[in-house]
Amino acid sequence: MPTDISGTKVAFLLGHGVEQAELTQPWAEVKKAGGTPVLVSPESGTITAMKGDWDHADTFDVDVEVKDAKAEDYDALVIPGGTINADTLRIDTDAQAFVTAFFDAAKPVASICHGPWILIDAGLAKGRRMTSYESISTDLKNAGVDWTDEECVVDGNLITSRNPGDLEVFSATLIEKVAAATK
């Protein structure tokens, strides 16, 4: 599969409490493949990541506030998890609109762990085949998702994975989808 995404821009939508590995590993893979990752957030300044739900990790600079971000400026979207991050993002109307614009443009969207929560609130989950962190499986099923416990699920332009243990295949699938969509 093609793995060169030179010249692409990939938005990473997240806020405080993002699971650090779910940000940093796909971010590094995008850069390694030649793409430019961009941190988009409802916050300005910096965000603080987490290791699990309890331990604060590193801080990261926000590149663009989501209220100012436009999907047409990016080739793909990554929505990392982290309980606090995902629970906050899901009710942010600017974040919902940003995610919806990627679906409307049929651009790749990759979401892991608790990240798919926002798809419910944005009205984008129903009828899709997805995976996620097990604790939100009932939420997704109740929203009309065909939920499955698999390492990585691809449904059209949507890529979902369960947890940090799936990051290698999640990141590789993201790069393949971006390469295929932009060649």
Side-chain angles (χ1 to χ4, degrees):
M1 292 301 251
T3 58
D4 181 7
I5 61 168
S6 296
T8 65
K9 284 175 57 178
V10 178
F12 282 70
L13 177 62
L14 55 115
H16 289 292
V18 66
E19 178 68 42
Q20 182 159 317
E22 295 172 5
L23 164 62
T24 58
Q25 188 169 337
W27 184 283
E29 292 300 319
V30 165
K31 287 178 80 170
K32 180 179 168 185
T36 301
V38 179
L39 198 154
V40 177
S41 179
E43 314 292 333
S44 61
T46 62
I47 60 95
T48 302
M50 303 288 281
K51 289 183 182 172
D53 287 334
W54 298 107
D55 297 322
H56 285 173
D58 298 326
T59 59
F60 298 89
D61 292 329
V62 172
D63 296 312
V64 179
E65 286 186 60
V66 72
K67 67 182 179 61
D68 300 322
K70 294 179 179 25
E72 61 259 21
D73 295 336
Y74 304 95
D75 298 290
L77 173 64
V78 177
I79 309 167
T83 310
I84 295 167
N85 166 61
D87 196 41
T88 303
L89 277 183
R90 72 183 295 185
I91 59 171
D92 185 288
T93 55
D94 291 325
Q96 291 174 16
F98 188 59
V99 173
T100 299
F102 279 88
F103 279 87
D104 290 347
K107 293 181 178 185
V109 175
S111 188
I112 188 167
C113 199
H114 288 77
W117 256 345
I118 194 170
L119 302 180
I120 296 169
D121 289 85
L124 301 167
K126 186 175 183 177
R128 296 202 169 267
R129 185 170 180 274
M130 298 168 54
T131 194
S132 67
Y133 194 71
E134 185 179 12
S135 69
I136 70 165
S137 65
T138 300
D139 296 342
L140 289 165
K141 290 174 188 173
N142 287 341
V145 169
D146 176 12
W147 188 89
T148 183
D149 184 12
E150 295 177 35
E151 186 176 48
C152 187
V153 174
V154 176
D155 180 348
N157 287 337
L158 176 62
I159 304 157
T160 53
S161 284
R162 302 170 299 190
N163 57 53
D166 299 336
L167 278 168
E168 187 175 324
V169 70
F170 175 76
S171 297
T173 305
L174 165 67
I175 300 304
E176 290 171 7
K177 275 290 202 185
V178 173
T182 58
K183 67 175 181 174

